[in-house]
Amino acid sequence: MDKLIISPAPHIHSGDSVSKNMTGVIVALVPALLVGFYYFGLGSLIVTATAIISCIIFEYLIQRFMLKGENSVMDGSAALTGLLLAMNLPSNIPVWMVIIGSLVAIGIAKMSFGGLGNNPFNPALVGRVFLLISFPVAMTTWPKPVPFNPSYLDAVTAATPLEMIKGHFGEMPGLKDLFLGNMGGSLGEISALALLIGLVYLLVKKIISWHIPVSILVTVFIFSGIMHLANPEVYAAPLVHLFTGGLMLGAIFMATDYVTSPMNPRGMLIYGVGIGIITVVIRAFGAYPEGVSFAILIMNGFTPLINTYIKPKRFGEKIK
Amino acid sequence: MNLILISLLTLGIVGAISAVILFFVAKKFHVYEDTRINDVEAALPAANCGGCGFPGCRGFANACVKAETFDGLFCPVGGNDTMQKVADILGRTAIVAAPTVAVVRCGGTCDHRPRMNDYDGVKHCFIAHNLYSGETGCSFGCLGLGDCEVSCEFDAIHVNPVTKLPEVDEDKCTSCGACVKACPKLLIELRKKGPKSRRIYVSCRNEDKGHIARKSCDVSCIACGKCEKVCPHEAITITNNLAFIHDDKCKLCRKCVEVCPTNAIVELNFPPRKVKEPLTPEGA
Amino acid sequence: MGGIHPKENKLSAGKKIQIAELPKQVVIPLSHYIGSPSEAVVKKGDMVKVGQLIGKANGFISANVHSSVSGKVAKIDVQLDASGYKRPAVFIDVEGDEWLETIDRSLEIKQECNLTKEEIVNKIKEAGIVGLGGATFPAHVKLSPPPGKKAELLIINAVECESYLTCDHQLMLEKGEEILVGVSILMKALDVNRAVVGIENNKKDAIAHLTGLAKSYKGIEIAPLKVRYPQGGEKQLIDAIIRRQVPSGKIPIEVGAVVQNVGTTFAVYEAVQKNKPMIERVLTVTGKNAPNPGNYLVRLGVYLSTVVDTAGGVPEGTGKIVGGGPMMGRSLMNLNVPMAKGSSGVLFIKEEESIRKPIKNCIRCTKCVSVCPMGLEPFLLMTQSERNMWPEMETNRVMDCIECGSCSYTCPSNRPLLDYIRYGKTTVGGILRNRK
């Protein structure tokens, strides 16, 4: 080396990278994914693979032929979007719907805003909500979970516990089944245990901070607890709320999406509380039995506002 | 029928009341504005570049109308034509200024100025300038990271990727002065465009002593004083080991260009010289 | 709050301080990192002795400069500093090693100090002592609190939170007793009866050594601190030790604290007790590929290249040489830079580690916000700086930035956050100065 390099300080870097973070989240999703495979068999595998592959392909094509920018498809964010989208879908949904969902997620929600880092709404959720509104039947028909069944499940359908609560029918699975995941639902959302393992991994690896998931879960618990105390006949117990539907998946993986969540701990708490309240309101009073995706998308819309007005605790600021 | 009538009536009344309110409010809060401001603004180039020193063309128009004379008021983009139009609108006489153009006073191309370090930071002159003197031995020369290029609203200055020096496109340059302010090394100067765009200037800002300057760059001004002596018009002064040609005195005789031992004095847009003596080859 | 934990890489830890050889010529810079340059009081051809005053402080924030060698003044000229800009300096040709008679060169520890407060501050001022932590702020300025303000306690910064550097650590191990005497002198100068020495937990031997010695000194405590960068930042250190946060734009005396670096404390001891002005300091020469990382006692004005040659030369495959630590040090254009009062280390960085990785989009991961020790939003400040939004930067408190580099260090998208923030800070600072 004949010429010395000159650059401003700092001269070392942590070695952290976008792809490391994305891979970390994917690894954290593996337990929940395995539970999905375990209960829903081949169908879940097909949906997951389709979503991931089509997301990557769409991102590559858009970047290559429309944006003509530097290709960032290998940073893992497209694969993560695909995986998260798949986790939010029933395992017996037709493959072509998955592809449409991926196109909406990547094409509309992500790349049209300029790619990773610029999208205001969580791409996977936009994809899911698009499918939910366009194909409500396919999106709310769930196969009955059958452990260790490698075949494609579609014959038997089961209602999710939340639908049972809403419609006041069916026999609720026990709390243990809810916790472990033996219930109808999207392929990645059923097992609270597996998702919590993912949360621990994310926290240990410092990929996310605790603020968003904890504030969402605590808010849902308190809010649904108050309603349950007020009228136990109509409103389900708080633990049932916690372990059912997409709440765990949403709180741990969807709401914590870097790009669409607020940028400082105080803002994150407000955002989390907002998601928690909206979720319970939709679940209890709305037309849909489940409201996590809508709640997160609504709060995504508030994120810029939160970022503008809620600032981190400055050093030297008086504690009020 | 009744329903339609009621809605028509209510909306009609609301509309009428609003109109009355608006009428009085508009009267009450009417701001008197000299109409000439609009006329002047229309005559200006609408570039909103700030080259005149006012925030946008409207600001300049406002200042022109308010001021008594045109002292200190000049639109560099529009030039004399525009100022004549403004003068006609306001019924005053325009001050005719010689058109100017930006020149970059550094000739240190990669060949002339060997690189000693590699800069690996943000490609931003100001940041690099705050950090250190530059990749070469010359601490006065161009950093080549293109702050001037970014600052130019008229796409008139570009860093040449080969020489890593900015080059001014004379036809596009409006001499608004944005690049002059952007350059942390103060290399860019607005000089008289000169007849047929002919200009002579010292393309160097190095204030080091001759031998130090020469060591770091082949085409640096070494303050030898030959140009000062040869100039018949006393247009050249040497301060801080650096020659400067005053464009108001320079008669473009080109004597200084011939005597400069380092080719630091540059002539632009002159016809090729009659062969009297061979010029020193480039880079010698 | 905030902070990062880079790999410590204290390669030269436990290496005895070696005395660097004297070169043929030294170049003593007259300017300081901040403040106005000193005025030369010698001229070409003058004979000087070690410790003789050669540059007189010029203004309040300025410091005296003394000759670090004996010999003949060759010239007073400009010298390129680490950034390639010219600074005034005194060039001295070394002849022998003759010290001023007033300087006590014995190694005997002198504990008694019967000087008054004013005499101590004056001695420190005369000796040209500046803060050795890096900012080289004149020490006597900090010891003269503004009227109406009273220091409650003295904090000694022995954190050395920068990775690689070990000069303060080694100094504590070898000169522990002297440092504690220095602390008590400073306490006397400030008229406080409590002093806390903050040391990071990764220097267990130094903590044990100083705790043992401190038993016989009244009012001096040793505080082990969590290993975290930038624990050694003045405001961070005060917060860690007495849980008081210096408000934005204020100086530590606002919360009743005065912070001095541990190296400064040793220099104070030498100046007050031994009459020895600031003419040498400990320098760490290190790097992953350095042939023998070590700590050297170097006279001011010695070219860094000379010291590096003693330490085995510039290793093969070095891409960048940093003066100081890896987080806040300046990359050097070459080694022909004279040793200055603020030089704490020479760090070689391997070629493959010295090139920055390509910049990617901000993924808004919040890591820069969570590591910022001042509670700022680096991602936002960078964007605003890119777009020249100076008033917005001011409201977002860019002037609070301590330029620790944690944000750039941690960014997964390799964004040059600090580069842009520093640009904004400089510009906003200029705007603020003009406003006054």
Side-chain angles (χ1 to χ4, degrees), chain C residues 49-53 66 98-106 110 123 270-277:
Chain C
K49 288 181 182 172
V50 180
Q52 190 177 329
L53 184 75
H66 301 82
E98 202 182 320
W99 292 54
L100 281 186
E101 296 76 31
T102 46
I103 300 173
D104 176 7
R105 294 188 67 195
S106 67
K110 194 177 151 202
K123 249 186 159 174
E270 287 199 316
V272 177
Q273 302 293 70
K274 305 272 183 182
N275 283 323
K276 184 179 154 194

Side-chain angles (χ1 to χ4, degrees), chain B residues 123-134:
Chain B
K123 300 281 174 275
H124 197 305
C125 299
F126 194 95
I127 292 175
H129 170 71
N130 260 3
L131 180 71
Y132 77 134
S133 61

Side-chain angles (χ1 to χ4, degrees), chain B residues 82-151:
Chain B
T82 303
M83 288 315 289
Q84 189 55 52
K85 276 186 215 157
V86 174
D88 291 344
I89 293 167
L90 299 176
R92 289 179 213 146
T93 40
I95 298 171
V96 178
T100 55
V101 73
V103 294
V104 181
R105 284 182 291 167
C106 179
T109 60
C110 299
D111 299 333
H112 293 314
R113 225 168 25 141
R115 291 323 194 228
M116 290 152 74
N117 290 100
D118 277 327
Y119 174 65
D120 180 39
V122 177
K123 300 281 174 275
H124 197 305
C125 299
F126 194 95
I127 292 175
H129 170 71
N130 260 3
L131 180 71
Y132 77 134
S133 61
E135 284 173 317
T136 66
C138 172
S139 59
F140 299 90
C142 178
L143 295 164
L145 300 171
D147 273 15
C148 45
E149 191 173 332
V150 175
S151 75

Side-chain angles (χ1 to χ4, degrees), chain C residues 105 297 305 317:
Chain C
R105 294 188 67 195
L297 185 67
S305 52

Side-chain angles (χ1 to χ4, degrees), chain C residues 107-170:
Chain C
L107 287 172
E108 203 180 308
I109 293 162
K110 194 177 151 202
Q111 291 188 333
E112 286 296 299
C113 174
N114 299 321
L115 299 171
T116 65
K117 208 168 125 181
E118 286 73 27
E119 282 169 336
I120 293 174
V121 175
N122 205 32
K123 249 186 159 174
I124 291 172
K125 189 175 168 186
E126 287 302 316
I129 294 176
V130 297
L132 299 185
T136 62
F137 196 76
H140 66 267
V141 178
K142 277 193 193 173
L143 295 176
S144 339
K149 296 274 191 290
K150 169 84 180 75
E152 291 166 32
L153 91 162
L154 170 71
I155 292 174
I156 303 298
N157 187 348
V159 173
E160 203 160 52
C161 56
E162 279 264 22
S163 31
Y164 290 100
L165 299 186
T166 55
C167 50
D168 288 352
H169 183 188
Q170 200 54 34

Side-chain angles (χ1 to χ4, degrees), chain C residues 235-411:
Chain C
K235 293 180 172 185
Q236 279 66 34
L237 184 64
I238 298 172
D239 186 30
I241 287 180
I242 55 171
R243 297 270 148 231
R244 280 185 217 164
Q245 295 194 342
V246 181
S248 169
K250 296 283 169 23
I251 52 171
I253 194 78
E254 197 75 17
V255 295
V258 170
V259 183
Q260 291 287 2
N261 180 272
V262 66
T264 321
T265 316
F266 178 64
V268 164
Y269 164 80
E270 287 199 316
V272 177
Q273 302 293 70
K274 305 272 183 182
N275 283 323
K276 184 179 154 194
M278 177 87 229
I279 54 157
E280 55 188 2
R281 69 158 292 159
V282 185
L283 175 87
T284 304
V285 180
T286 183
K288 274 185 195 156
N289 54 353
N292 42 17
N295 306 299
Y296 297 86
L297 185 67
V298 190
R299 303 273 179 92
L300 297 184
V302 175
Y303 277 121
L304 291 181
S305 52
T306 325
V307 190
V308 168
D309 285 344
T310 333
V314 178
E316 198 68 18
T318 300
K320 196 193 272 182
I321 303 178
V322 178
M327 293 300 291
M328 289 187 79
R330 293 181 82 92
S331 49
L332 304 177
M333 296 177 78
N334 51 52
L335 278 171
N336 294 327
V337 179
M339 179 83 188
K341 290 179 181 176
S343 313
S344 51
V346 174
L347 166 65
F348 304 110
I349 296 184
K350 283 196 270 183
E351 210 170 311
E352 57 268 31
E353 287 177 24
S354 48
I355 298 166
R356 292 187 177 185
K357 288 187 221 108
I359 302 169
K360 290 187 176 161
N361 274 3
C362 171
I363 57 166
R364 307 174 70 80
C365 65
T366 347
K367 288 190 180 176
C368 55
V369 182
S370 62
V371 297
C372 180
M374 299 306 291
L376 307 176
E377 296 159 293
F379 76 99
L380 184 68
L381 293 173
M382 171 174 172
T383 320
Q384 289 175 340
S385 176
E386 272 179 311
R387 296 175 191 173
N388 297 0
M389 295 159 76
W390 314 129
E392 288 84 352
M393 288 192 86
E394 194 195 334
T395 36
N396 281 307
R397 302 173 79 162
V398 68
M399 296 312 288
D400 278 6
C401 175
I402 57 167
E403 303 183 23
C404 66
S406 300
C407 46
S408 296
Y409 171 85
T410 198
C411 181

Side-chain angles (χ1 to χ4, degrees), chain A residues 214-236:
Chain A
V214 170
S215 61
I216 294 179
L217 297 178
V218 168
T219 311
V220 168
F221 186 84
I222 294 175
F223 195 25
S224 60
I226 294 171
M227 299 202 341
H228 182 67
L229 285 180
N231 191 351
E233 299 278 300
V234 181
Y235 304 117

